[in-house]
Amino acid sequence: MEKKSARILVFSTEKISDPAIDMAGLLKLHYPPTVYTIAVPCSSGIKPRWIMHAYDKGFDGVFIAADGSDCTYGETCTEKTGHIVGITHQMMKEKNIDPARLRMAAICSVCSESFVKQIKSFNQYLLQSTKS
Amino acid sequence: MNKKLGVYICHCGGNISDYIDVEKVKAAVAGEDGVYLAKTTMFACSDATQKEMVEDIRSNNLDGIVVASCSPKLHLLTFRAVSERALLNKYNYVHANIREQGSWAHSDDKAGATEKAVSLVKAAIAKVRLARSLDPIIIPSKKAVAIIGAGVAGMRAAIELADMGCPVTLVEREYFVGGRVAQWDVMFTTNQTGKELVTRLYNEVIARDNITLLTGAEVVANSGSIGDFTLKIKVTPRYMKEKCDQNNLLKAIEACPVVVPDDFNFNITSRKAIYHNFPGEFPQYPVIDIKNCTRCGECEKICSSVDFSQQEQTVEVHVGSVVMATGFDPYTPAEGEFGYKLSDFVVTLPQFKRLTDINKDNLVYNGREIRNIAYIYCVGSRQSEGDNKYCSRYCCTSAIHASLEARNKFRNVNNFHFTRGIRTYGKQELLYAESLRKGDVYLQAYEENPPLVEVKDGQITVTINDIMTGGREISVIPDLLVLVTGMVPRADNSIASKFKLPKGRDSFFNEIHMKLRPVETVIDGVTISGACQGPKNITESVNSALSAAAKSYSFVNKGELALEPIIAGIDKDLCTWCGECEKACPFDAIKKEKQGEKEIAVINNSVCKGCGMCLPVCPVNAINLIAFSDREIESMIDALVSV
C-alpha cells in the first residue's frame, strides 16, 4: 500500500524550536502524524550517529529544527549545526543514503508556520523519492 | 534490574481525548517492559490526580513515571514536584507531549494522532527505563550582586537589592550616573525632567550603606560562575579632589585650552578637557578627561582641587550574580542618509532634544532661528533591507513629545512629521492627539517610497508622496530637519564577550525566553535589564530592572545554589585528549587534566551549561550529556519506530 506520509524524526531544541512546534499544535497547523520530535538542549549537540541510527531503524527522513541565530548558547550554533549536517551527509553518502533525506532549517521560537511548511515540503520530497 | 514504572495518560478535559483514543494508548503501552501500572486521568495536573500519583508511587514503590499530557513547558515542574513529594528522584519522571504535538497538531487525523501518541509514550518509557537518579549540583553562593551600568535601570535595581539586604557593587563606566535619562529634559507622562529622576535615584543610592558606587569604572575581566563571580574592575580617577571651590573651578575650565565635542549634548556643543555635564550632575564634582588633556597645567595653576597624582586602580569584587544594565546608543545615520552630514541643519532626535533643553527663549541653532521643523521617522529602524529590522517603539512618542515641547517653549514653531505610521501605543496616544489638536502636520509614506531630502545652496527640501492625500506630492522647506532615530546596542559592547553573553538577531542581549524567562540569560547568574536587552522606555526599563533584581536575589539569598545536573560527562577510558571539545565549548567549561600518565578532558560542573556542543566533535565518542546519552536517544528512536 502506498504510504500517505513519510516517517520523519525531528530533532528540536528545548528553548527555541520545540516551543514553535508546540505553537503549531496550538494554532492547529496540521502536519503528518508520522512526524516525531525528540527535543535536545541545542541543535549543535546532535550526534551524527543518532541521525544514522534513525535511518537504520526505518525513518525516511531526519529534520533538524535548528536554533539558528537565536541560540541562547552562542553565536556559533548555526555554523556548528551546519558542520554536523555536513559530516552526516558524508556518512550518508558512504552508506548510499540520499543526503537530501536530512534537512536542516533554523526554526525560531515563534516560527510555527515555517516549521509546518518545511515539514510538509520535506514529506512531499520523501514520498516522491520513495516512489522513484 | 527492571524498573517498576507508572504511566499516566491525560484526557486534558477533551483537549487530548477528543482526538486521541487515550484508552487505546493505555492498552498499547500497558504491556511494555517495566510498566507496572498505566492509567488514564481526566486532568493529570489536578490536585486529586497529583495526590493519586504520589500514593501510587509510594504504595507500589515505583522507580519511575511517565506523564503523557500537555507540553512539558507548562507542567514539567508540577510533575517533578509530585515525584519529590513521593520521595522519587525527580529525574526519574519523563514527559510525553501528546497535546501540542499530538491531539492539537493532528486533530484532522484521529487515528494518526492516536498512533503517534502510542509512539511518543513508548519513547518516554524507553527513556525513563534508562533514567538515573540525579542530585542537583549544590554550590555556595556569595550574597552580593554586581550591577553593570548606573542608569535608571541599574540604580533602580541596586536600590531594590539593597533593600532586600543584599550588598551591591554598582559599576558605571562614565563619570556621572543616570545614563541616557540624565540627558533628557521634561519627559512624558510625569513631566519630570530626566535630571530630577536621576537626582531622586542617586540620593536613594547614596543613602544606602550596602551600595558601593564606582564611577569611571569598567569591568576588565570576569572569572568564575553563578554563585561566585570574580570581577576585576578598572577605576579611572577623576584627577579632581572631592572638595572643589566652584569659583576657581569655573576659572580653570575657562583657562583650559582643549576643546572637544561634548558627548553629553550629542556633539552639538563642545566642552573643555576639564568639565562637568550640567549643574545637577551626580556625583557633583568634575572630571579631567585625561585622554584629551594635554597636561598644560593651566587648570592646576588656578584650581587647587586638580590632582594629577591620582592613580588608576583595579578593584576585585566577588559576587554571586551580575545584573547587566548597560543601556543603548542612539542610531547614528550614515553620511547622506536623509541628508545627514550634508547640511549643518540636519540633526538626530537626541541632538534635537538637547537643543531644545539648552536653548532658553528662542530656538537657535548654528546662528539660525528655527521656526519650521521637519521630522523624518523610522530612520535606522524597521529596515527590511538593513541591520535594524525592529521598531524601537519609543521614538514616535519621543519625537512627538519633543516637537510639542518645542512648540510650547518657543514662539512660532511649526512641526511637519514625515512618518511611516505613528506607533504611540497606550497612554502615549494622548500626546499624538494633543499634537494633532495643536496643528502639527502629519504626512505618511510607505517604506518603499520614503521622503526625499534635497540639500541645495544650504536649503533643505523634504518631499513626500503623502498616502493620506492619495499620493499627492508635498514639499516642505524646513529650517531644521530632525531624523527620528531609534535605539541600537552600545557601540562598545565588549562587556558581552567578558561574560560570554549571547546576543539576539537584533544584536541586543538575549534572554532565555522573552515571555517565560525574560530577564535570565543562558549564562547562569547573569540577568539583563533595561535597554541593553532591546528598545524600552523608562517604565519598561524599570519593570525589567525590578524583575532582574528579584531574579538575581533568588540566586544569592540562600547562600547556596542547586544547579540542574544536565551536564556533559567524559568517559575517562575513551578520552585521549585531542582538544576538540575544549575548542567547541563556548563557556570554557572543559580543560585538559593529567590523570596518571594520561591527559584527558575534564568538565567544570558549575560552568557547563549542558548545551552539548562538545558531543559531536569528539572523535572517539567519549562525551555524553546526562539525560541525552546515546543509549537514551537511540532507545527513544527504537521505540518511535516500533509501532
Side-chain angles (χ1 to χ4, degrees):
Chain A
M1 194 179 76
E2 198 174 295
K3 274 208 272 191
K4 268 168 59 186
S5 50
R7 200 182 280 265
I8 300 171
L9 177 64
V10 176
F11 281 108
S12 65
T13 63
E14 289 175 333
K15 289 169 188 164
I16 309 289
S17 60
D18 207 54
I21 300 171
D22 277 359
M23 199 164 80
L26 181 70
L27 299 173
K28 306 275 169 76
L29 301 174
H30 298 134
Y31 54 91
T34 47
V35 174
Y36 307 89
T37 303
I38 293 179
V40 294
C42 174
S43 51
S44 55
I46 297 166
K47 288 186 182 179
R49 63 174 275 170
W50 300 345
I51 300 168
M52 297 306 291
H53 187 79
Y55 296 125
D56 282 350
K57 293 294 169 179
F59 274 99
D60 301 307
V62 175
F63 183 86
I64 298 179
D67 285 329
S69 55
D70 283 353
C71 180
T72 48
Y73 293 110
E75 293 151 16
T76 56
C77 178
T78 308
E79 184 194 327
K80 285 175 177 163
T81 310
H83 187 62
I84 291 163
V85 170
I87 290 172
T88 315
H89 275 160
Q90 199 53 45
M91 292 163 84
M92 291 168 79
K93 280 179 198 163
E94 284 164 14
K95 286 199 157 192
N96 287 323
I97 300 170
D98 173 13
R101 286 173 59 193
L102 170 61
R103 270 195 198 180
M104 176 187 91
I107 302 291
C108 75
S109 60
V110 290
C111 294
S112 308
E113 286 183 19
S114 164
F115 169 75
V116 171
K117 200 173 157 192
Q118 292 272 358
I119 282 294
K120 282 183 172 173
S121 133
F122 193 28
N123 181 55
Q124 281 306 313
Y125 173 80
L126 291 168
L127 288 176
Q128 276 167 13
S129 66
T130 317
K131 261 193 228 168
S132 58
Chain B
M1 189 189 81
N2 275 350
K3 281 188 172 177
K4 253 173 114 175
L5 307 173
V7 179
Y8 298 87
I9 301 142
C10 184
H11 283 255
C12 193
N15 279 302
I16 293 173
S17 54
D18 282 354
Y19 309 102
I20 287 174
D21 184 341
V22 290
E23 292 302 330
K24 198 171 172 183
V25 176
K26 184 182 88 171
V29 303
E32 285 289 291
D33 196 17
V35 175
Y36 181 78
L37 64 85
K39 289 182 174 181
T40 56
T41 170
M42 191 49 71
F43 287 106
C45 57
S46 69
D47 278 356
T49 308
Q50 288 187 42
K51 280 179 188 158
E52 188 183 332
M53 286 179 186
V54 170
E55 183 54 33
D56 284 348
I57 296 166
R58 283 185 174 171
S59 58
N60 297 300
N61 290 321
L62 296 182
D63 301 306
I65 59 167
V66 167
V67 179
S69 64
C70 56
S71 169
K73 283 144 204 88
L74 297 170
H75 282 302
L76 185 87
L77 296 179
T78 307
F79 299 115
R80 279 187 170 181
V82 166
S83 304
E84 285 184 319
R85 289 201 297 277
L87 305 179
L88 173 70
N89 184 282
K90 64 185 176 188
Y91 297 100
N92 285 307
Y93 137 68
V94 172
H95 202 94
N97 179 356
I98 60 166
R99 190 178 75 175
E100 282 82 348
Q101 296 185 15
S103 59
W104 285 353
H106 313 297
S107 54
D108 59 335
D109 181 354
K110 292 182 183 180
T114 301
E115 204 168 299
K116 178 173 179 178
V118 171
S119 295
L120 292 176
V121 178
K122 284 188 175 181
I125 292 169
K127 187 169 185 189
V128 81
R129 275 192 210 115
L130 297 166
R132 285 192 285 150
S133 294
L134 301 169
D135 291 320
I137 300 166
I138 304 291
I139 57 163
S141 182
K142 290 198 163 50
K143 192 173 178 178
V145 172
I147 299 174
I148 317 296
V152 164
M155 286 197 284
R156 192 65 191 84
I159 294 163
E160 199 65 18
L161 279 159
D163 287 350
M164 288 190 277
C166 180
V168 176
T169 305
L170 183 55
V171 184
E172 173 54 53
R173 187 166 61 180
E174 302 298 327
Y175 290 98
F176 304 101
V177 301
R180 297 287 174 208
V181 174
Q183 294 173 283
W184 309 144
D185 192 33
V186 176
M187 296 181 301
F188 187 70
T189 59
T190 57
N191 285 335
Q192 272 182 309
T193 65
K195 297 172 192 71
E196 285 166 351
L197 205 62
V198 169
T199 304
R200 196 166 146 184
L201 288 170
Y202 179 75
N203 287 337
E204 297 266 345
V205 165
I206 56 169
R208 283 160 176 78
D209 291 339
N210 54 356
I211 300 178
T212 306
L213 172 64
L214 302 172
T215 54
E218 197 171 353
V219 176
V220 290
N222 161 50
S223 58
S225 55
I226 185 169
D228 186 17
F229 290 100
T230 300
L231 310 185
K232 280 193 178 158
I233 301 165
K234 184 177 82 179
V235 184
T236 315
R238 302 174 95 86
Y239 301 100
M240 295 292 293
K241 291 175 192 158
E242 280 194 42
K243 285 187 181 167
C244 193
D245 183 293
Q246 286 301 307
N247 284 333
N248 286 343
L249 171 69
L250 291 175
K251 285 179 195 162
I253 292 175
E254 208 172 303
C256 176
V258 177
V259 179
V260 293
D262 187 355
D263 292 346
F264 184 78
N265 286 332
F266 299 102
N267 305 335
I268 56 170
T269 59
S270 53
R271 65 161 168 80
K272 298 295 185 68
I274 174 169
Y275 73 102
H276 52 71
N277 279 343
F278 58 90
E281 72 199 358
F282 296 103
Q284 280 184 314
Y285 60 105
V287 179
I288 292 178
D289 170 3
I290 205 70
K291 280 184 194 151
N292 288 304
C293 174
T294 57
R295 302 290 291 268
C296 68
E298 289 300 318
C299 58
E300 221 173 353
K301 285 180 204 163
I302 300 166
C303 182
S304 59
S305 298
V306 173
D307 180 5
F308 283 110
S309 70
Q310 292 178 2
Q311 296 291 313
E312 189 177 285
Q313 289 179 311
T314 301
V315 179
E316 196 170 280
V317 297
H318 300 272
V319 294
S321 178
V322 179
V323 178
M324 287 290 162
T326 51
F328 71 97
D329 275 337
Y331 172 76
T332 304
E335 190 172 329
E337 189 175 356
F338 295 107
Y340 190 66
K341 299 272 188 197
L342 301 184
S343 162
D344 291 340
F345 295 93
V346 179
V347 296
T348 63
L349 178 62
Q351 288 175 323
F352 179 65
K353 283 160 71 111
R354 291 303 308 142
L355 196 62
T356 54
D357 186 13
I358 56 184
N359 275 278
K360 294 306 165 201
D361 299 319
N362 297 309
L363 183 56
V364 177
Y365 184 54
N366 285 334
R368 178 190 285 179
E369 184 165 0
I370 307 298
R371 292 196 168 170
N372 295 316
I373 309 169
Y375 305 83
I376 296 182
Y377 284 61
C378 303
V379 176
S381 300
R382 300 170 66 197
Q383 301 171 310
S384 56
E385 299 301 323
D387 288 337
N388 308 326
K389 296 194 167 35
Y390 52 87
C391 163
S392 282
R393 304 186 306 136
Y394 95 110
C395 5
C396 282
T397 303
S398 185
I400 293 172
H401 184 258
S403 67
L404 279 170
E405 283 299 303
R407 182 188 270 281
N408 294 337
K409 188 171 175 181
F410 308 109
R411 279 172 303 166
N412 301 324
V413 165
N414 300 304
N415 294 316
F416 301 90
H417 302 262
F418 293 78
T419 82
R420 280 176 58 195
I422 291 294
R423 295 181 171 184
T424 45
Y425 56 96
K427 288 178 187 170
Q428 299 164 134
E429 192 70 6
L430 297 174
L431 265 185
Y432 181 35
E434 187 187 339
S435 170
L436 290 169
R437 211 168 40 243
K438 289 196 168 172
D440 277 16
V441 176
Y442 283 83
L443 307 159
Q444 190 177 335
Y446 294 123
E447 187 196 5
E448 58 274 15
N449 195 16
L452 189 68
V453 177
E454 266 187 309
V455 180
K456 202 172 176 186
D457 301 328
Q459 180 179 280
I460 303 165
T461 308
V462 186
T463 306
I464 191 170
N465 290 109
D466 176 37
I467 59 170
M468 310 299 278
T469 49
R472 194 169 156 192
E473 186 177 294
I474 297 172
S475 293
V476 173
I477 301 173
D479 301 316
L480 184 72
L481 171 59
V482 178
L483 304 183
V484 179
T485 49
M487 295 181 180
V488 293
R490 287 275 186 194
D492 177 6
N493 235 344
S494 54
I495 191 78
S497 59
K498 292 186 180 78
F499 286 87
K500 298 193 184 300
L501 275 180
K503 295 175 193 166
R505 269 181 289 191
D506 54 11
S507 294
F508 286 97
F509 296 156
N510 210 12
E511 67 288 315
I512 287 181
H513 190 284
M514 65 172 76
K515 292 187 179 70
L516 302 178
R517 297 172 75 182
V519 296
E520 292 168 80
T521 67
V522 70
I523 308 301
D524 294 332
V526 180
T527 57
I528 45 178
S529 67
C532 67
Q533 186 182 13
K536 286 187 181 66
N537 63 28
I538 297 171
T539 309
E540 292 158 349
S541 285
V542 171
N543 282 342
S544 78
L546 294 176
S547 171
K551 191 71 218 173
S552 278
Y553 184 68
S554 74
F555 295 139
V556 303
N557 69 326
K558 288 181 189 156
E560 65 174 31
L561 276 165
L563 302 184
E564 189 83 346
I566 309 301
I567 54 171
I570 308 276
D571 184 325
K572 292 175 185 174
D573 295 329
L574 288 177
C575 179
T576 52
W577 181 258
C578 61
E580 289 299 317
C581 54
E582 186 191 29
K583 278 190 259 171
C585 178
F587 307 106
D588 293 335
I590 304 178
K591 290 277 172 279
K592 180 167 66 174
E593 196 173 278
K594 200 158 174 87
Q595 294 207 348
E597 291 302 302
K598 195 177 169 191
E599 284 183 327
I600 61 161
V602 289
I603 307 278
N604 181 340
N605 291 354
S606 60
V607 178
C608 177
K609 307 286 172 241
C611 63
M613 287 191 193
C614 54
L615 311 184
V617 301
C618 179
V620 292
N621 197 28
I623 315 178
N624 268 305
L625 195 63
I626 291 174
F628 298 91
S629 66
D630 293 344
R631 282 187 70 204
E632 281 159 304
I633 298 288
E634 287 168 6
S635 70
M636 287 176 81
I637 294 170
D638 296 348
L640 288 173
V641 291
S642 67
V643 178

